[in-house]
Amino acid sequence: MKLSKKEEAQVRQVYNSYWDNYLKGDVEAMHPLLDDNYTQVGSAETEVFVNKKDAVKFLYDTIDQVAGKLEMRNRSTVFEQQDNIILCHELCDVYVLTDNEWAFYSKFRASTLMQKKNNDWKIIHQHSSMPDIRTQEGDNIAIEKISKENLELRDAVKRRTIELEHKNRELEIEASLERVRAVAMSMKQPADMVEVCRVISDQLELLKIADIRNIQTAIIYKEKGIYINYEYFAQYKTNSILEIEIKLHPIVEEFVNQISASSDAFFTKTFEGNALKNWIEYRKKTNQNADPILEKAKSVHYYFYSIGQGALGISTYTPMKEEDIIIFKRFRNVFKLAYSRFIDIELAEAQAHEAKIEAALERVRAVALSMNKPYDLLNICETLFKEFQLLGYPELRNAMINIHNDDKRTFVNYDYSDEIGRSINHLTYNIHPVIEKQITQIRSADDAFSETVFSGNDLVEWQNFRKRIGEKDDVRINNSSALCYYFYSIGTGSIGISTFEAIGDSKLQLLKRFRNVFYFLYQRYADVELAIANAREAQIELALERVRARTMAMQRSDELPETSQILFQQMKQLGEPAEQL
């Protein structure tokens, strides 16, 4: 049935008002145009409503996405009457405002049902849609395109899955690296590198790197011809610290030379067959850790990356995959940075320690410079003892200076400790065979050194000897399993310490530095003492000569008082007590 022009004008006015207000975003003006029983099926997936309330709410929630941003162009509207219902067909192009320009968005179709109620035309239902752009002219549904899109989608899902797996793997690696970084940054001493090796081994196992034999850090000391190997064995959950001589095996020499050549050097070596048997024999001869699994293995593979003055390495019973080697290099990078920081800290600590040593040497030097009589040697012993304690000698018992007299074969022992205080002992060379041996060693050269260690029965005998000669009792010796004496020559005597356990080379070198400071100052003191003694002797000889000359000149007995007067004057000048009769 065809609408009259008047009816079509009324319907068109309501219809256009709906879309005009929609494009402006005026939901309040749209609301009265909808019937109370309004339903809607829109172009959006969720735009299906069976009542006016939900449809209007959707408009309020989404209208800001449309208002002023959407235009309907090339519109074609047809109205048809079906009984008391008007069907409106709308075809148009939808344009959207983007980046300040209007751009084509899509074709748009809308079917709107309107009905007259209480003399007003109301919209009772609306269905809108946008055509499937995958279909072409003559197509009902784009099956081939859908199949292609499904394939593309599956391919995209596969790629995305791989990307996610890669990202997850990367996150796992980063987490492992962070754990290693935390342990490496907490290193306080070289021995802590064993713990770093353990953590690296554990993290590589978590990352599914197979057949790990060990993780090791080799710190190279070319000038000493050695490298210190800190290693952790994954198969046995054990660790060790070994000193390895470089020249004992050509492969070891090759490794050291290659790693030392560059801070980014990489060294790899595989042993199998006879080469593996020879390698196992070399390990046994150099007392390296037993490895029963290696005895049965067909091969062993080493991979080392430089860390500057050494290398971080891994050994495996089967060859590593290329991607696993790359991962291990990332662990090296983390450790290298932490190790560089550790070296810097160690250097700073060494410099601070050296400053402490220099200050201690200066204090000993100051005391030695103030020395003007033999008794002052006790001041030096006390200063030496206290400075040693401040520099970290917990095993220290006492500090001593011995002054020898070869003519009389005696010596004076000046001794200080916090337990027994100061003491001076006059002893003979032959008072004990050990003392005689010590003196012989010390007197052999100006830079001579003597070391004596008492333990077991020898220590018991030494304790009894100390009691026999009247030494002050030191209860600490009774509770100790050893007593060690270290002396350096000072020319006419020795300076030394005794300890309750053996001390290493670094502490002996420190003792030698104290000896060097004291040696030159003591020589100065001895020279001054000798000069004073010689001057004194010259004064005495001059005084004697004056007395002798006057005596030889006497002619009469009455000249005797005058001779006595000269004797008195000379004694007085020499500072000797004398009374004039």
Side-chain angles (χ1 to χ4, degrees):
M1 183 182 297
K2 191 175 180 179
L3 287 169
S4 66
K5 289 183 179 182
K6 182 179 178 181
E7 287 178 324
E8 183 176 341
Q10 292 174 343
V11 170
R12 188 180 293 275
Q13 183 182 2
V14 173
Y15 180 80
N16 288 339
S17 177
Y18 172 84
W19 286 113
D20 288 345
N21 288 310
Y22 177 76
L23 296 174
K24 289 189 296 184
D26 190 352
V27 179
E28 291 295 325
M30 296 170 65
H31 191 280
L33 304 177
L34 303 178
D35 186 64
D36 291 340
N37 295 317
Y38 172 79
T39 59
Q40 178 180 323
V41 177
S43 59
E45 184 176 355
T46 59
E47 197 177 349
V48 178
F49 306 107
V50 295
N51 58 68
K52 179 180 178 179
K53 178 181 177 182
D54 292 342
V56 171
K57 182 178 184 303
F58 178 78
L59 282 171
Y60 275 116
D61 292 341
T62 62
I63 199 66
D64 62 318
Q65 301 172 23
V66 175
K69 303 173 185 176
L70 198 96
E71 284 187 357
M72 299 169 70
R73 299 182 183 179
N74 305 319
R75 297 179 67 177
S76 173
T77 309
V78 177
F79 297 92
E80 294 181 6
Q81 184 173 3
Q82 303 289 336
D83 296 330
N84 63 339
I85 294 176
I86 304 299
L87 174 59
C88 305
H89 293 285
E90 171 86 43
L91 293 176
C92 69
D93 297 330
V94 174
Y95 279 72
V96 294
L97 183 64
T98 174
D99 296 330
N100 296 320
E101 291 186 4
W102 288 97
F104 175 75
Y105 179 72
S106 176
K107 294 287 185 181
F108 180 74
R109 298 179 296 202
S111 297
T112 306
L113 296 179
M114 300 179 66
Q115 191 174 41
K116 196 170 188 179
K117 294 188 175 183
N118 298 325
N119 294 321
D120 292 322
W121 288 99
K122 301 286 187 180
I123 299 173
I124 62 173
H125 177 77
Q126 189 176 77
H127 180 220
S128 59
S129 66
M130 294 178 181
D132 186 352
I133 61 173
R134 292 169 297 190
T135 59
Q136 297 179 359
E137 187 175 352
D139 290 339
N140 186 8
I141 184 169
I143 295 177
E144 290 184 2
K145 286 190 175 182
I146 291 172
S147 297
K148 182 181 178 182
E149 287 179 0
N150 285 340
L151 288 172
E152 291 173 349
L153 181 60
R154 282 197 294 270
D155 185 54
V157 170
K158 186 182 293 185
R159 287 197 307 272
R160 185 59 177 161
T161 301
I162 292 172
E163 288 174 3
L164 289 173
E165 288 174 352
H166 177 75
K167 287 184 178 179
N168 287 336
R169 177 68 167 174
E170 185 61 26
L171 288 172
E172 289 176 351
I173 294 171
E174 282 297 331
S176 292
L177 291 172
E178 189 56 39
R179 294 183 189 106
V180 171
R181 185 180 292 110
V183 176
M185 292 294 282
S186 68
M187 282 194 302
K188 299 266 190 311
Q189 55 187 347
D192 293 340
M193 283 189 282
V194 170
E195 177 63 12
V196 179
C197 290
R198 183 193 68 77
V199 174
I200 291 175
S201 179
D202 290 347
Q203 296 307 309
L204 289 176
E205 283 190 352
L206 287 174
L207 294 173
K208 304 296 188 295
I209 294 180
D211 292 327
I212 298 173
R213 175 178 170 268
N214 79 340
I215 302 294
Q216 58 195 102
T217 304
I219 305 302
I220 299 169
Y221 301 92
K222 266 192 166 182
E223 69 283 357
K224 297 181 180 179
I226 63 167
Y227 71 85
I228 306 297
N229 200 43
Y230 304 84
E231 58 185 342
Y232 175 79
F233 284 86
Q235 300 294 332
Y236 312 113
K237 309 299 181 188
T238 59
N239 58 61
S240 67
I241 302 174
L242 298 173
E243 183 179 297
I244 308 293
E245 288 189 47
I246 296 171
K247 291 187 176 181
L248 291 182
H249 199 287
I251 301 299
V252 175
E253 285 190 275
E254 180 187 351
F255 154 71
V256 169
N257 291 334
Q258 192 167 326
I259 286 296
S260 301
S262 167
S263 60
D264 291 321
F266 175 65
F267 176 86
T268 182
K269 188 69 179 178
T270 294
F271 294 96
E272 52 190 355
N274 289 331
L276 178 57
K277 291 179 182 178
N278 293 335
W279 182 250
I280 291 172
E281 286 304 311
Y282 156 74
R283 294 187 75 259
K284 289 179 179 178
K285 287 179 182 178
T286 52
N287 296 318
Q288 296 189 42
N289 292 320
D291 187 356
I293 298 176
L294 185 61
E295 302 276 347
K296 300 176 182 178
K298 293 182 179 180
S299 62
V300 63
H301 310 265
Y302 290 87
Y303 308 87
F304 285 93
Y305 281 102
S306 171
I307 57 171
Q309 72 175 83
L312 179 67
I314 181 174
S315 66
T316 58
Y317 296 109
T318 56
M320 289 180 70
K321 298 175 183 177
E322 187 64 30
E323 58 265 32
D324 292 343
I325 296 175
I326 293 172
I327 289 174
F328 180 67
K329 185 177 183 180
R330 293 177 65 180
F331 278 85
R332 184 288 303 250
N333 294 342
V334 166
F335 177 72
K336 184 178 180 180
L337 290 173
Y339 183 66
S340 296
R341 171 187 169 277
F342 169 74
I343 292 298
D344 291 341
I345 292 172
E346 199 175 47
L347 178 61
E349 289 177 349
Q351 290 172 340
H353 185 63
E354 180 61 24
K356 287 183 180 179
I357 292 174
E358 285 297 334
L361 291 171
E362 190 56 40
R363 285 188 281 271
V364 171
R365 185 180 290 111
V367 175
L369 277 169
S370 67
M371 183 171 58
N372 54 42
K373 56 184 180 297
Y375 184 81
D376 292 338
L377 290 170
L378 284 174
N379 296 335
I380 297 171
C381 290
E382 182 175 354
T383 303
L384 188 65
F385 180 89
K386 291 179 178 178
E387 295 303 329
F388 272 133
Q389 281 196 321
L390 289 173
L391 292 171
Y393 276 62
E395 62 281 279
L396 185 65
R397 186 185 80 88
N398 72 338
M400 298 164 283
I401 295 175
N402 295 323
I403 304 301
H404 301 148
N405 187 325
D406 288 341
D407 293 334
K408 296 180 180 180
R409 294 187 62 78
T410 61
F411 68 97
V412 182
N413 169 249
Y414 298 87
D415 186 318
Y416 177 83
S417 77
D418 55 352
E419 180 68 25
I420 62 177
R422 298 180 172 208
S423 66
I424 300 176
N425 295 292
H426 297 266
L427 304 169
T428 61
Y429 285 7
N430 61 358
I431 195 170
H432 193 282
V434 170
I435 290 178
E436 199 163 15
K437 180 181 177 181
Q438 286 176 342
I439 294 173
T440 300
Q441 290 174 336
I442 287 298
R443 302 296 284 155
S444 64
D446 283 350
D447 60 350
F449 171 71
S450 172
E451 177 182 0
T452 306
V453 177
F454 294 101
S455 61
N457 292 332
D458 291 338
L459 180 58
V460 173
E461 193 279 328
W462 183 254
Q463 288 173 284
N464 293 331
F465 163 73
R466 293 182 77 257
K467 289 178 182 177
R468 288 199 304 272
I469 64 173
E471 288 269 13
K472 290 184 179 180
D473 188 35
D474 190 341
V475 293
R476 296 173 300 174
I477 300 177
N478 301 331
N479 300 323
S480 177
S481 60
L483 185 59
C484 310
Y485 287 86
Y486 304 96
F487 290 101
Y488 279 101
S489 171
I490 56 170
T492 57
S494 61
I495 185 170
I497 59 173
S498 69
T499 62
F500 294 111
E501 59 182 70
I503 60 176
D505 184 65
S506 62
K507 290 185 176 180
L508 285 177
Q509 289 301 314
L510 181 57
L511 174 60
K512 189 173 183 179
R513 291 178 67 178
F514 277 98
R515 171 261 182 194
N516 292 341
V517 166
F518 175 70
Y519 174 77
F520 292 108
L521 294 174
Y522 182 71
Q523 291 301 312
R524 169 186 168 277
Y525 163 76
D527 291 342
V528 171
E529 282 286 291
L530 179 61
I532 292 172
N534 289 338
R536 177 70 170 173
E537 185 62 29
Q539 287 178 333
I540 292 172
E541 285 296 330
L542 180 60
L544 289 173
E545 188 57 37
R546 286 170 180 157
V547 173
R548 185 182 298 111
R550 184 68 189 91
T551 302
M552 293 294 291
M554 278 197 314
Q555 299 291 327
R556 300 183 306 276
S557 60
D558 60 354
E559 295 178 25
L560 186 60
E562 184 180 346
T563 303
S564 298
Q565 178 66 26
I566 291 174
L567 176 61
F568 175 78
Q569 288 175 349
Q570 296 305 310
M571 292 286 287
K572 188 176 181 181
Q573 287 178 6
L574 291 172
E576 297 294 333
E579 293 184 4
Q580 188 172 13
L581 298 175

